[in-house]
Amino acid sequence: MQNDIGRVLLSEAEIVAKVKELGDKLTEEYRGKELLVVGILKGSNVFMSDLIRQINIPLKIDFMMVSSYGNATESTGVVKIIKDIEQSISGKHLLIVEDIIDSGLTLKYLTEMLETRKPASIKLCTLLDKPARRKENVDVDYVGFEMPDEFLVGYGIDYAEYYRNLPYIGVLKPEVYEK
Ligand code: PRP
Ligand code: MN
Ligand code: MG
């Protein structure tokens, strides 16, 4: 598996430092507020579990799982909810956690849908952002790293469901996906 990685873009240590920095900011932002942290499965799983341990105030967590309709490479922007948040979000401060924002289609749809349930606020936190790929304008409140448009894997991000368990963010060698 390590052999499939062309180069490491973000080391484990760089990620740890960034997660701590984000956690500190979020601790201040949400102090005294009723915080619900919502992870978008499956990619956000690794980042979310590290992030919540750096937020030092009471909070609750929940998860959503979504899938885009249409073919695998180009999202249509219509999102199917496979698993929804299990609690009422009315009056709560929502922090949506993503591993990466690419076209923005997933989050655009999700935030508009969640707004209708009248939370007190919705903010977005993503470890990685690929602004060059954006199709929908989404306001991202907390970004770990802006990344180039390359084939990234690791720390929750998959290719064909593999590589999520790498502790760093790497670029896949072209021969892996060109096979
Ligand atoms: C990836 C990633 C984001 C989304 C970003 O998830 O984890 O959720 O795509 O793409 P977008 O900005 O173009 O909408 P994916 O659909 O691959 O599911 P996964 O998290 O289960 O890997
Ligand atoms: Mn995802
Ligand atoms: Mg994926």
Side-chain angles (χ1 to χ4, degrees), residues 5 7-10 99-102 127-130 145-160 162-163 166 168-173 177:
I5 305 302
R7 54 188 212 288
V8 173
L9 288 191
L10 296 172
D99 49 329
I100 186 164
I101 303 178
D102 195 345
L127 181 67
L128 307 183
D129 190 10
K130 271 187 183 175
F145 303 93
E146 285 201 359
M147 302 301 282
D149 187 12
E150 294 193 79
F151 217 127
L152 308 178
V153 293
Y155 200 70
I157 302 172
D158 71 304
Y159 169 63
Y162 284 107
Y163 309 105
L166 295 177
Y168 52 82
I169 302 284
V171 182
L172 215 50
K173 286 179 183 166
Y177 53 87

Side-chain angles (χ1 to χ4, degrees), residues 1-177:
M1 195 159 85
Q2 310 279 348
N3 287 341
D4 295 347
I5 305 302
R7 54 188 212 288
V8 173
L9 288 191
L10 296 172
S11 69
E12 192 172 358
E14 286 175 286
I15 296 170
V16 167
K18 184 61 76 175
V19 171
K20 172 83 171 68
E21 183 189 317
L22 289 168
D24 287 347
K25 281 188 198 161
L26 293 165
T27 300
E28 294 317 312
E29 169 77 30
Y30 288 104
R31 198 183 294 284
K33 294 178 181 165
E34 204 179 334
L35 172 60
L36 177 63
V37 184
V38 177
I40 311 303
L41 296 172
K42 298 187 278 260
S44 72
N45 163 54
V46 178
F47 174 44
M48 165 120 163
S49 29
D50 284 343
L51 183 66
I52 56 172
R53 284 175 286 176
Q54 300 299 333
I55 305 176
N56 299 312
I57 49 168
L59 58 80
K60 293 181 182 176
I61 65 168
D62 215 320
F63 296 94
M64 293 186 83
M65 190 166 191
V66 301
S67 85
S68 299
Y69 282 113
N71 71 57
T73 48
E74 284 296 302
S75 173
T76 55
V78 180
V79 168
K80 180 179 166 193
I81 309 287
I82 296 170
K83 185 218 169 295
D84 204 339
I85 300 171
E86 285 171 1
Q87 51 205 288
S88 165
I89 63 171
S90 170
K92 288 183 185 150
H93 292 274
L94 247 59
L95 179 69
I96 299 178
V97 176
E98 266 288 24
D99 49 329
I100 186 164
I101 303 178
D102 195 345
S103 70
L105 292 170
T106 306
L107 278 182
K108 174 86 175 171
Y109 181 90
L110 270 184
T111 49
E112 282 178 2
M113 190 271 285
L114 291 171
E115 287 286 2
T116 66
R117 300 184 194 173
K118 306 285 178 223
S121 69
I122 299 183
K123 289 196 176 196
L124 307 179
C125 176
T126 187
L127 181 67
L128 307 183
D129 190 10
K130 271 187 183 175
R133 300 260 307 169
R134 199 71 93 252
K135 287 183 185 165
E136 283 287 352
N137 185 38
V138 283
D139 282 335
V140 192
D141 303 280
Y142 298 91
V143 177
F145 303 93
E146 285 201 359
M147 302 301 282
D149 187 12
E150 294 193 79
F151 217 127
L152 308 178
V153 293
Y155 200 70
I157 302 172
D158 71 304
Y159 169 63
E161 296 297 327
Y162 284 107
Y163 309 105
R164 295 192 199 272
N165 56 324
L166 295 177
Y168 52 82
I169 302 284
V171 182
L172 215 50
K173 286 179 183 166
E175 62 256 37
V176 177
Y177 53 87

